[in-house]
Amino acid sequence: MVSAEAAGAAAGVERGREAARPAPRQAQPEAPGVGSKKKGLSAEEKRTRMMEIFFETKDVFQLKDLEKIAPKEKGITAMSVKEVLQSLVDDGMVDCERIGTSNYYWAFPSKALHARKRKLEVLESQLSEGSQKHANLQKSIEKAKVGRHETEERTMLAKELSELRDQREKLKAEVEKYKECDPQVVEEIRQANKVAKEAANRWTDNIFAIKSWAKKKFGLEENKIDKNFGIPEDFDYID
């Protein structure tokens, strides 16, 4: 049998071995951004975070202030601050006032809420209109499909219709060739020429009258008037 002293000694040795073993290493938390590519913020996330700056601070800022605060506190790159801020101003979410040579920006939660409600109402209205147009178009498509199933008779009629259209175009081209010999067409051309001639001579009258007035009023020579106003030397009435 093992004596009590031997058992006690063995137990002491085992405890010494346990104490000598190195403690197991604890897993260290992975540093942010290590081992995985950091994802950039979307445009809407930037807008939301920019609004948080105004709501949390309830303060008024200049652009240069926001270009310092936004990257540090909200992760918005300094280069995109101006663009994000302008989009919020355009949508009525942020107020902007020019005082002296600087622009000042601020926003109140109540106004932003109203702006979002208005935007939502506009979008819902547009969606409703779009849905109605889509429904109407779908009905038109379904209606147009009725009776349009391909049959041998329909195919033949479509072919005949196409041939008749080609024939009509050829006949129209032939008619155009002989229009010049049509007495009615000739008379219409003659009347049109007469009207054009009368109008041209009226303008000629006006120009001669203006030239005469200019010579008397300013003492200008006729050739100088013609040169300055681009009037040709052979300018005269049409016979």
Side-chain angles (χ1 to χ4, degrees):
M1 291 182 66
V2 180
S3 65
E5 292 180 358
V13 171
E14 187 61 26
R15 284 195 297 272
R17 286 177 179 172
E18 286 293 332
R21 289 195 187 104
R25 295 179 63 187
Q26 294 183 351
Q28 297 295 324
E30 185 174 309
V34 176
S36 62
K37 190 174 180 180
K38 189 175 179 181
K39 185 179 178 182
L41 298 174
S42 67
E44 193 55 37
E45 286 173 332
K46 291 178 183 177
R47 285 163 57 91
T48 300
R49 294 191 183 194
M50 184 69 74
M51 293 303 296
E52 288 174 358
I53 296 175
F54 289 106
F55 294 162
E56 290 168 2
T57 62
K58 298 181 177 62
D59 205 348
V60 178
F61 300 95
Q62 289 182 260
L63 176 61
K64 62 183 180 181
D65 301 325
L66 292 168
E67 287 175 338
K68 293 177 183 177
I69 297 170
K72 184 178 178 181
E73 297 187 6
K74 298 299 179 180
I76 304 171
T77 59
M79 292 184 66
S80 64
V81 168
K82 184 176 181 180
E83 181 182 354
V84 174
L85 191 58
Q86 188 59 49
S87 74
L88 292 170
V89 172
D90 292 341
D91 288 346
M93 304 283 286
V94 171
D95 288 303
C96 175
E97 186 72 30
R98 189 171 185 84
I99 303 174
T101 59
S102 303
N103 288 330
Y104 291 85
Y105 301 89
W106 69 92
F108 299 112
S110 58
K111 180 172 182 180
L113 178 61
H114 290 313
R116 284 186 176 274
K117 283 184 177 179
R118 287 196 301 271
K119 185 73 172 177
L120 181 60
E121 288 171 359
V122 171
L123 292 175
E124 286 178 343
S125 176
Q126 291 175 347
L127 177 61
S128 176
E129 289 177 8
S131 299
Q132 187 60 45
K133 287 180 180 178
H134 179 270
N136 292 339
L137 182 59
Q138 195 63 38
K139 287 179 182 178
S140 298
I141 291 172
E142 294 300 325
K143 186 177 179 180
K145 284 181 179 179
V146 176
R148 292 212 171 183
H149 302 294
E150 288 294 332
T151 62
E152 185 176 351
E153 182 181 4
R154 185 176 183 279
T155 302
M156 290 178 63
L157 289 172
K159 183 180 179 182
E160 185 178 352
L161 177 60
S162 177
E163 291 173 352
L164 289 171
R165 283 175 175 168
D166 290 340
Q167 185 178 357
R168 185 188 64 177
E169 292 302 318
K170 289 178 182 177
L171 290 172
K172 282 173 68 177
E174 288 292 322
V175 169
E176 290 296 326
K177 286 183 185 178
Y178 296 103
K179 263 192 174 180
E180 293 180 2
C181 303
D182 187 336
Q184 183 179 350
V185 173
V186 172
E187 182 58 29
E188 287 175 358
I189 293 172
R190 187 180 290 114
Q191 290 299 324
N193 287 339
K194 182 180 178 182
V195 171
K197 178 182 174 182
E198 290 173 353
N201 283 334
R202 279 198 303 273
W203 278 106
T204 303
D205 258 340
N206 292 337
I207 292 170
F208 279 136
I210 292 171
K211 284 173 65 177
S212 177
W213 175 82
K215 284 192 291 185
K216 292 177 181 177
K217 181 73 174 177
F218 303 106
L220 298 174
E221 297 179 6
E222 186 169 350
N223 60 347
K224 289 185 177 180
I225 296 174
D226 291 343
K227 185 177 180 180
N228 288 332
F229 291 95
I231 301 172
E233 293 180 2
D234 58 349
F235 180 77
D236 206 344
Y237 294 99
I238 299 174
D239 296 329

